[in-house]
Amino acid sequence: MRVAIAGAGNVGRSIAAELVGNGHQVLLIERDPDSMRPERVPEAEWLLADACELENLRQAHLEGCDVAVAATGDDKVNLVVSLLSKTEFAVPRVVARVNRAENEWLFNEEWGVDVSVSKPRLLAALVEEAVSVGDLVRLLSFRQSQANLVEITLPLDAPHVGSRVAEVPLPHDVALVAIIRGRRVIAPSPDDTLESGDELVFVCNEDAEESTRSVILGKRR
């Protein structure tokens, strides 16, 4: 993929290095000369420019990008970059960083955001995921589709412990996408058996979260 990242601070550079390492083409756009450090990610393209300026995004050929990432430390900038990327350049996938929890509600499809990543929400979800057994934990929201990535760790008394995946009556608009068992990540097949302690990762519609919890955990809350 070709990916444009607005913001070449620690977050932007880390994303760029990871994507470059996976074989993608990356353009880093940064308006602060002091943050321009091409030697940190030499395989990426670098552009000294304000990503909130339409002409600069034209210069970056954003229309040729598969993904735009608004990764600055300023939520206002991230919203403007997301909106311009989607409305002016029709970038298929726009990912935006949310820095302040109170601004999270703004990062939706009206601002061109397909996926928002909220540091406060993500940290809270990781804390919950680390300590919660027998409840549903929301890990990530896909704003445009109104779907969520959720996790449930199976307690010993869960009703479907010992059942095959095919035997679990999941609601509509719910997909089991991974079973994490210790250090193993299992792509679930119909014949895989669920075990206590398994971390089940689902993609589900927000309206289906409660029914998913009920199916997987029974009456336990």
Side-chain angles (χ1 to χ4, degrees), residues 136 138 146-148 150 152 169-175 202-216:
L136 181 146
R138 185 183 295 177
Q146 298 300 309
N148 299 315
V150 303
I152 299 175
L170 290 176
H172 292 297
D173 298 323
V174 178
F202 301 91
V203 174
C204 69
N205 185 286
E206 186 170 340
D207 294 336
E209 286 186 2
E210 184 58 40
S211 54
T212 301
R213 179 190 284 114
S214 298
V215 167
I216 299 300

Side-chain angles (χ1 to χ4, degrees), residues 159-177:
H160 295 290
V161 169
S163 299
R164 295 185 304 115
V165 169
E167 297 170 338
V168 180
L170 290 176
H172 292 297
D173 298 323
V174 178
L176 176 62
V177 296

Side-chain angles (χ1 to χ4, degrees), residues 104-122:
E104 189 175 348
W105 66 277
L106 286 166
F107 286 74
N108 55 34
E109 65 275 7
E110 293 182 5
W111 280 94
V113 178
D114 295 309
V115 179
S116 63
V117 182
S118 169
K119 293 192 295 181
R121 177 184 286 276
L122 183 57

Side-chain angles (χ1 to χ4, degrees), residues 116-202:
S116 63
V117 182
S118 169
K119 293 192 295 181
R121 177 184 286 276
L122 183 57
L123 287 170
L126 291 173
V127 170
E128 287 185 308
E129 190 273 336
V131 301
S132 295
V133 176
D135 204 354
L136 181 146
V137 178
R138 185 183 295 177
L139 301 176
L140 183 67
S141 295
F142 302 98
R143 294 294 182 188
Q144 194 171 44
S145 62
Q146 298 300 309
N148 299 315
L149 189 71
V150 303
E151 183 266 353
I152 299 175
T153 300
L154 286 181
L156 188 62
D157 59 351
H160 295 290
V161 169
S163 299
R164 295 185 304 115
V165 169
E167 297 170 338
V168 180
L170 290 176
H172 292 297
D173 298 323
V174 178
L176 176 62
V177 296
I179 301 171
I180 302 173
R181 184 173 295 157
R183 295 189 175 184
R184 295 179 59 203
V185 178
I186 302 169
S189 71
D191 292 325
D192 283 316
T193 301
L194 303 183
E195 299 179 5
S196 63
D198 282 352
E199 297 178 52
L200 307 183
V201 181
F202 301 91

